[in-house]
Amino acid sequence: MKKTNGCSQKILASKNVCSYNEDMSTEITNNYIEEYTTQEKLQILADAAKYDVACTSSGSDRRGKKGELGNAAACGICHSFASDGRCISLLKILMTNHCVYDCKYCINRASNDVKRATFTPQEICELTVEFYKRNYIEGLFLSSGVLKNPTYTMEKMCETLLLLRTKYHFNGYIHVKTIPGASDELLAAAGYLADRISVNMELPTEEGLRTLAPNKTMQTILDPMGKVRNTIASHRMAIGKSAHMERSKGNQFLKQSIFGTESKKQFADGLMKEKKAVLGTENVVRDDAGAYGSIDQGKNHGTGSGGSVTGETDVQNTIANLAAKMNGTVLDSALTWDNAYQLAPLDMSKLKRRFAPAGQSTQMIVGATDESDRDILLLSSSLYDRPTMKRVYYSGFIPVNPYDKRLPALDKAPLVRENRLYQADWLMRFYGFRAEEIADEKTPRLDLDIDPKLAWALRHPEFFPVDVNRADYEALLRVPGVGVKSARLIVSSRRYRTLTMQSLRQIGVVMKKAQYFVRCRELTTGQGVNELRPEQVRRLLTAPKRQKPDKNEGQLTLF
């Protein structure tokens, strides 16, 4: 069979085979080249990328270099906020919105009649560099539809990244969305070229994927997530760091924190069990999932054995599969730089780059299927138990294909529910809450009228009042109206004086909420959540604000 540029287009079209190391070609076949200008392509593909929210900039600390463009220390995603509060931007585009998949919830599904466009690797590089020189952006977020097959698409994305890093010497932040089902070689190449890698979970359950995304399976999603995790952890251990990435340092000592020492101990125990299994000393198939806190977590928190196919049972199976499939190879603490870089393709090893230094992230669509918020949060908690998972993003289902009867009939995206899930996610990551506390068996769906922290406090009035002059840091974090910064200031300030209501206001505590749950000099018994009852406190806090009467109401003015 005759080859073109060292790569058989016919083979790539029919088989998911990688030819990345054989020859690099930036040519995209004529079938996918449209008569659009670069500006028209940018308009189509930037608009198509707006539904992908799994992007962030924190975690990479690579500074600028002489003779190279950009740096990964000051970068971001579409007016996002970095960990130090900076508002920063990143070019967020699809390489192509051509897609052979027919995911029912996606605007770019194969059966949709939409404008299709495809960037060449050269065009993406030129756009990124020119936008950077004009100070429009500080990095790149690159995703894509599936062009021909996953490996062919991922090959073109890797070519783009390699051109940016070598030919254009772009040293800025790059976040790449990998294509599930692509070859391991391309996954490794993307990790060495990008700062962050993400693989979308898409939907929380296998049943949901079969219904709405028939071309995808949970295995093709979880396998690359596990390989990325192991490679990141291997590189960190090779330079003498912990396999666990730096996440929420200020809360790692909280007893209930998902990033705490107990979570790390479960991970270490899981590695030891798997290592023994590999050595043949014991056979752990279901047990290694329990060592990671997933099976036991489902039992201890009452996930039960009943429920719908898309309910808690399916989510529990997903969590079990997550633990089993993401374990992958056993990490070796004696790993060195040389054998760590053997994981990379040959042309990557010369770059001497760390593998995905900003970690990995993922995204789930909320509202397209019938999972409860408890199901979603339990799965998110299990994902955060993995040492390299930095963020889980939630995307409210947007009814872009209203004609498909398999999708829920929504007039608009469930933005309030999406916001409540992010608040619950924040409680897990920074406040020491567990998923089963935020959404328990009796209330599997989050209250849309109040935030999850207040909802938990109203369900547990026995925990209050909390004495701000005596309570420990962990108890202060559970008080509605008290944030992480406020709790730290309370702990440090009360060493020198007794705190009052005025002191709490000066610290930044939201007293409108906190007054019902704390005790200090002015706030004693008689006006707390236990005396007023949770129902009354809820009514007081959710009462609509009175609008001030307009002085000019009914009076016409000339100015």
Side-chain angles (χ1 to χ4, degrees):
M1 186 179 296
K2 187 177 179 180
K3 287 189 176 183
T4 304
N5 293 326
C7 175
S8 172
Q9 301 294 342
K10 187 172 182 180
I11 292 178
L12 279 176
S14 59
K15 296 182 180 180
N16 205 22
V17 177
C18 172
S19 62
Y20 181 79
N21 272 338
E22 295 178 12
D23 184 34
M24 227 186 66
S25 169
T26 58
E27 177 186 357
I28 292 181
T29 55
N30 292 329
N31 295 335
Y32 300 101
I33 297 178
E34 304 83 1
E35 297 299 326
Y36 290 127
T37 64
T38 301
Q39 184 174 352
E40 290 171 334
K41 288 183 182 181
L42 182 61
Q43 184 175 359
I44 294 171
L45 296 175
D47 182 71
K50 67 184 179 183
Y51 301 105
D52 202 326
V53 299
C55 46
T56 188
S57 63
S58 60
S60 187
D61 58 358
R62 189 177 62 259
R63 299 287 174 179
K65 294 181 181 179
K66 185 177 180 180
E68 296 190 357
L69 292 173
N71 69 83
C75 51
I77 305 286
C78 296
H79 301 93
S80 183
F81 290 89
S83 56
D84 59 0
R86 289 172 296 117
C87 183
I88 42 188
S89 59
L90 186 149
L91 178 61
K92 182 178 177 182
I93 57 173
L94 298 181
M95 186 183 75
T96 180
N97 65 343
H98 285 278
C99 194
V100 297
Y101 290 170
D102 198 44
C103 302
K104 311 309 176 188
Y105 50 79
C106 183
I107 188 66
N108 300 314
R109 57 190 283 186
S111 58
N112 269 3
D113 184 16
V114 296
K115 287 185 177 180
R116 306 283 181 174
T118 302
F119 276 129
T120 65
Q122 190 75 23
E123 287 174 330
I124 296 175
C125 294
E126 291 173 356
L127 275 174
T128 303
V129 171
E130 292 301 322
F131 276 24
Y132 179 84
K133 288 179 177 179
R134 289 166 173 76
N135 203 28
Y136 295 160
I137 62 167
E138 302 199 36
L140 173 68
F141 174 85
L142 183 62
S143 184
S144 180
V146 181
L147 187 67
K148 300 175 71 171
N149 60 56
T151 290
Y152 179 84
T153 307
M154 200 67 209
E155 185 176 2
K156 295 305 173 185
M157 294 174 74
C158 287
E159 290 170 8
T160 303
L161 301 185
L162 187 59
L163 282 174
L164 268 175
R165 295 300 195 196
T166 56
K167 180 179 178 180
Y168 291 89
H169 304 286
F170 184 75
N171 193 46
Y173 181 87
I174 295 179
H175 180 166
V176 63
K177 183 64 60 69
T178 61
I179 309 297
S183 69
D184 293 348
E185 186 180 17
L186 294 172
L187 186 68
Y192 283 99
L193 290 166
D195 294 279
R196 173 165 289 185
I197 286 186
S198 55
V199 184
N200 280 359
M201 286 287 294
E202 302 292 2
L203 296 167
T205 64
E206 181 82 46
E207 179 65 22
L209 283 175
R210 281 196 295 266
T211 304
L212 301 183
N215 302 102
K216 299 178 181 179
T217 64
M218 197 61 74
Q219 181 176 358
T220 58
I221 293 172
L222 295 180
D223 282 349
M225 289 177 73
K227 291 168 184 174
V228 169
R229 185 210 70 172
N230 287 336
T231 311
I232 294 174
S234 298
H235 275 264
R236 290 180 60 81
M237 295 172 71
I239 59 176
K241 291 185 176 182
S242 167
H244 293 260
M245 300 197 74
E246 295 78 10
R247 303 176 297 181
S248 307
K249 290 183 179 179
N251 298 301
Q252 60 182 325
F253 301 111
L254 294 177
K255 295 178 182 178
Q256 300 292 329
S257 175
I258 57 175
F259 302 144
T261 54
E262 184 63 29
S263 175
K264 293 181 180 180
K265 183 178 182 300
Q266 289 181 352
F267 176 74
D269 292 344
L271 284 181
M272 291 302 298
K273 280 203 169 189
E274 185 181 354
K275 190 169 185 178
K276 291 178 181 178
V278 172
L279 295 175
T281 56
E282 64 176 314
N283 183 20
V284 283
V285 179
R286 297 290 294 180
D287 287 344
D288 77 346
Y292 283 71
S294 53
I295 298 298
D296 291 338
Q297 184 183 50
K299 292 178 181 177
N300 293 337
H301 308 317
T303 51
S305 58
S308 63
V309 183
T310 58
E312 289 194 13
T313 303
D314 204 11
V315 172
Q316 184 180 356
N317 293 336
T318 300
I319 295 174
N321 291 335
L322 178 69
K325 293 175 182 176
M326 289 186 70
N327 289 344
T329 57
V330 178
L331 305 182
D332 187 356
S333 58
L335 196 63
T336 63
W337 273 111
D338 291 338
N339 53 25
Y341 270 101
Q342 289 175 6
L343 299 170
L346 297 178
D347 53 352
M348 293 292 97
S349 57
K350 299 178 182 178
L351 296 177
K352 292 294 179 184
R353 299 179 59 86
R354 286 189 293 165
F355 186 91
Q360 61 180 144
S361 60
T362 189
Q363 171 182 335
M364 285 186 281
I365 297 172
V366 176
T369 48
D370 196 32
E371 294 84 18
S372 67
D373 298 321
R374 174 182 167 87
D375 299 334
I376 295 172
L377 291 175
L378 283 174
L379 180 57
S380 297
S381 179
S382 182
L383 287 167
Y384 280 131
D385 282 340
R386 321 277 68 82
T388 61
M389 181 62 66
K390 293 297 285 284
R391 285 296 303 274
V392 176
Y393 291 87
Y394 311 96
S395 176
F397 168 68
I398 300 175
V400 293
N401 302 316
Y403 57 85
D404 198 321
K405 301 304 180 183
R406 286 164 291 190
L407 297 170
L410 299 178
D411 295 331
K412 56 183 179 180
L415 297 181
V416 177
R417 185 186 180 193
E418 177 185 315
N419 181 53
R420 296 300 182 215
L421 283 169
Y422 274 118
Q423 290 175 328
D425 185 271
W426 210 260
L427 292 179
M428 291 193 296
R429 293 169 56 223
F430 294 101
Y431 289 79
F433 281 79
R434 304 295 296 187
E436 59 276 7
E437 293 180 292
I438 300 170
D440 56 27
E441 289 182 303
K442 295 181 179 179
T443 55
R445 296 190 181 274
L446 298 176
D447 194 324
L448 300 184
D449 294 326
I450 56 177
D451 65 84
K453 188 177 180 183
L454 177 58
W456 178 87
L458 293 176
R459 291 198 306 270
H460 297 85
E462 71 281 357
F463 187 81
F464 303 99
V466 172
D467 191 339
V468 294
N469 289 295
R470 296 177 180 272
D472 58 20
Y473 175 70
E474 190 170 4
L476 291 171
L477 285 176
R478 293 185 172 249
V479 176
V482 177
V484 173
K485 185 177 179 181
S486 299
R488 291 176 184 172
L489 288 174
I490 288 172
V491 172
S492 59
S493 299
R494 68 190 184 188
R495 299 175 185 173
Y496 309 103
R497 57 173 176 165
T498 301
L499 299 180
T500 63
M501 284 186 63
Q502 183 60 27
S503 304
L504 295 176
R505 287 194 179 96
Q506 291 174 345
I507 285 173
V509 175
V510 182
M511 290 305 299
K512 178 183 177 182
K513 291 183 180 179
Q515 61 181 324
Y516 303 108
F517 303 97
V518 298
R519 178 186 298 159
C520 60
R521 182 184 297 174
E522 297 93 339
L523 294 173
T524 56
T525 58
Q527 51 186 341
V529 65
N530 290 291
E531 291 78 16
L532 297 177
R533 294 181 305 175
E535 297 81 7
Q536 188 174 352
V537 173
R538 179 189 172 92
R539 284 197 300 269
L540 290 171
L541 291 176
T542 57
K545 296 181 180 179
R546 294 182 179 179
Q547 294 183 351
K548 294 181 179 180
D550 190 353
K551 295 180 181 180
N552 297 322
E553 186 176 359
Q555 176 67 41
L556 296 177
T557 59
L558 297 175
F559 305 99

